[in-house]
Every structure is written in C-alpha cells, then in structure tokens.
Amino acid sequence: MIKINHYILLGFAISAALLPAQPPPSAPAKPDSDAVKALIEKAKKAGGAQWAGEAHFFCEAPRANRPDDPPIEPTKIFDNVYVIGNQGTVVYVIQTSAGLLMIDSLSANQVDTQLLPGFQKLGLDPANVKIILMGHGHADHFGGSPYMQEHYGSKVYISAADWNLMENPPAGAAQKGPPPVLPKHDQVVTEGQPVVLGDLSIMPVAIPGHTPGSMGYIFPVKDNGKTHMAAIYGGTVLLPGIISDQGLQTYLKSVAHFKEETKKAKVDVEIQNHPLMDPIQPKLDRLKTRKPGEPNPFVVGRGDYQKFLEVMAACTEVNIARRKGL
Ligand SMILES: [Zn+2]
C-alpha cells in the first residue's frame, strides 16, 4: 500500500514537473523585450525571403509534431530517395546497390498506418531495409524499428550516447503510458565513421543538444542523374522549453559544427525529419507537377542551406536571451 501510494505520488510529481515544459506553442509567457526583438529581426534578416517561414517558426511560433499531423503521400523525391510519414514526422528510404537504408522509423503505432502502407504504395519491399539510421533516441523516431528488426532483420544504428539515453532513461523523464519498446542493441554510429551500404556512404555528424547523442547525416542524392549533397539535422529542437539552459548552449555549438561540415561537403539539399519549419507538402505538390528542366524543390542551393542553419542558430540565441531574461 505504501509502495503504491509512493508510486502514485511520484507519478504526480513527474507529471507536474513536465507540465511547464509543454507551453502553448505560440504564447510566450511574457512579451519579448526590445533586446529579444532585435535578435529576432537579426534572425529574419539572416534568413531573407527564402527562410521567412523558418525564422517565424523557430523564433516566434514553434510547435511539436503531433499524432494528428496529416499523412503525406509517400513520394519518390530523388532518383534514390523516398519519403514516408506525415507532415510532422517523416522517414527517408534510400535505395542502394545492396538494399534499402532508412533514416528514422516513425512511432510504433504508425508502423501499420503509415510506414508499411508507404512501402507498399511506393512498390518497395520493407524486407529490403538493411539499415535503420536514427537521428536521435526518442520514440517518435525509433518506435517503428523493433518491428523492422523482428520481421525483416533490419539493423538499427544509433549513437552510443542515445543508446544509453534509450536504455537508461534519466530519472524524471517519465512518458505518458507504458515505456516504448526499444530496438535490440545493434550498431553504434560515430562521427567520422561513414555508414556504408552498397554504393551509398553516409557521413554522420555529432550534434548533441536535443539529446546527448543526436546525429546529423550527410549523403549524396541523385536528381535525374545529377548528384547533389543532402543533409538532415537529426536532432532539431522544436520546442525549446523542454531543453535545459546547458542543452541550448550545446545545441548552438552543434548547429555551428553542422554548418562547417555541411559547407565542407557542399550540401545543397535540405531535408528534415520534422518538416514543420519548412513544410513538406507544398514541395511534394510541386514535385507532382514538375516539368522537365524545373528545379527539384528540395534542392535549395549551397548558400541557402547555410542560411537555413544560420536562422536555426540565430533563433536559438533568441531563446537563450529569453531564458536569461534579456
Ligand atoms: Zn526528439
């Protein structure tokens, strides 16, 4: 009896502790000061017209992905890349000479409703997924992977720090409902050690902040035979409220690190696992009616890819300034 009461009390304490971490998305607790407003202007200026929506999302109106984000039509977005999921969270399936590699895996409860139907719609066999590469160790990304491991023998790759996060969740990180089923501990992904499948080589970049082991990935894609470099920042902070002060500082450094690496790799393709700050549906619509010679909407160019990350950094500085009460 005492034990049960204690457990219930602990549950209440944890829920209460989590409540302030989920503020209404577009209602800051207090109006921004002139100093913060100036930083927001700086972010908007950095982004220009191309990234106005991104600056508004990250600096002023962030929101988390939701279970009711509308599904997208599963689509081939490059010669070798497919996207499956919904407007809040997606996975990318990459065709290689030795089978399929998937980045992220949606939630466990989206396997039957979105993931597998997506493969079917695209004419892809989920049994060909050899590797699942995870952006970070949260259940909206790894939840579908135990099914893939069990049914198709896919191997799951996650950074050491996020295997640890998943397998030893920190005290206080209580979830609603039962804990998610974890994938079997397969492979560790490390910055500087490319993940290779057939003719595909993906470069992992460590980007701690959202989680201790968040990873970004850089890899070549082909658009009508022409090679481009794509990058996905696998640990984007959507709601800064859930990140500690130190986490935000770490995140700022990681964005700068990713900026350097993507610049070196000449990245010109911007994709997201939570495409909320740069909505994916309009791009899929444009692809559908794309005529020969028209650009692929996911190819933003090298300069604009760097600007995208500048806006992420500038809005993180906005959030840090808000924390400091500037
Ligand atoms: Zn997450």
Side-chain angles (χ1 to χ4, degrees):
M1 197 58 196
I2 288 165
K3 259 187 187 161
I4 291 168
N5 279 338
H6 178 74
Y7 182 74
I8 290 169
L9 276 177
L10 185 69
F12 272 110
I14 289 168
S15 315
L18 283 177
L19 278 180
Q22 309 283 344
S26 55
K30 68 181 177 83
D32 284 329
S33 67
D34 287 346
V36 169
K37 280 183 191 153
L39 286 173
I40 294 174
E41 279 318 303
K42 200 178 140 201
K44 287 184 174 172
K45 214 172 160 195
Q50 166 79 353
W51 301 121
E54 182 207 1
H56 177 62
F57 180 93
F58 280 132
C59 284
E60 297 172 323
R63 78 158 175 93
N65 50 307
R66 291 192 295 250
D68 64 344
D69 284 321
I72 56 165
E73 188 171 340
T75 304
K76 183 178 190 173
I77 59 171
F78 287 100
D79 302 354
N80 59 328
V81 184
Y82 303 81
V83 65
I84 298 171
N86 56 76
Q87 292 183 22
T89 310
V90 298
V91 307
Y92 296 93
V93 180
I94 308 170
Q95 180 77 62
T96 82
S97 59
L100 302 171
L101 180 146
M102 184 161 86
I103 298 179
D104 286 350
S105 63
L106 296 177
S107 299
N109 65 1
Q110 292 168 330
V111 170
D112 287 336
T113 55
Q114 295 183 6
L115 188 63
L116 297 178
F119 275 88
Q120 194 178 20
K121 186 111 200 249
L122 293 164
L124 297 173
D125 185 353
N128 284 336
V129 175
K130 308 296 180 202
I131 292 178
I132 305 175
L133 207 50
M134 225 63 81
H136 67 272
H138 284 160
D140 51 337
H141 303 282
F142 73 69
S145 64
Y147 180 94
M148 299 293 290
Q149 274 181 328
E150 198 178 312
H151 289 80
Y152 309 123
S154 316
K155 294 279 179 249
V156 171
Y157 286 55
I158 305 178
S159 68
D162 272 20
W163 276 118
N164 181 54
L165 174 76
M166 291 157 58
E167 291 164 353
N168 306 290
Q175 319 244 0
K176 280 182 221 139
V181 176
L182 300 181
K184 285 193 306 277
H185 195 118
D186 280 332
Q187 298 286 332
V188 170
V189 56
T190 309
E191 173 160 335
Q193 294 179 14
V195 175
V196 177
L197 181 64
D199 56 356
L200 174 74
S201 176
I202 294 192
M203 184 169 90
V205 181
I207 46 158
H210 178 58
T211 62
S214 293
M215 299 299 281
Y217 298 109
I218 300 174
F219 58 97
V221 298
K222 277 196 191 298
D223 182 55
N224 291 327
K226 185 173 186 292
T227 300
H228 294 271
M229 285 303 272
I232 180 166
Y233 195 95
T236 305
V237 170
L238 297 174
L239 286 182
I242 61 170
I243 309 297
S244 68
D245 291 359
Q246 202 201 333
L248 281 186
Q249 295 289 354
T250 306
Y251 185 64
L252 195 56
K253 282 198 197 121
S254 292
V255 175
H257 178 47
F258 201 62
K259 198 166 178 300
E260 267 171 37
E261 294 302 319
T262 52
K263 190 170 185 186
K264 257 192 267 169
K266 302 186 169 71
V267 167
D268 62 347
V269 173
E270 179 260 320
I271 57 170
Q272 304 292 329
N273 52 8
H274 290 306
L276 289 163
M277 76 301 296
D278 183 24
I280 194 166
Q281 191 58 53
K283 296 186 189 192
L284 300 182
D285 293 344
R286 275 162 62 197
L287 269 182
K288 222 174 177 176
T289 57
R290 185 183 178 197
K291 296 187 184 69
E294 283 181 359
N296 183 311
F298 290 90
V299 180
V300 298
R302 287 185 211 172
D304 272 344
Y305 189 83
Q306 294 298 308
K307 275 191 202 169
F308 182 91
L309 294 177
E310 275 166 41
V311 172
M312 267 174 77
C315 290
T316 304
E317 295 199 35
V318 166
N319 288 318
I320 289 171
R322 282 183 182 132
R323 289 274 175 98
K324 287 183 178 160
L326 291 182

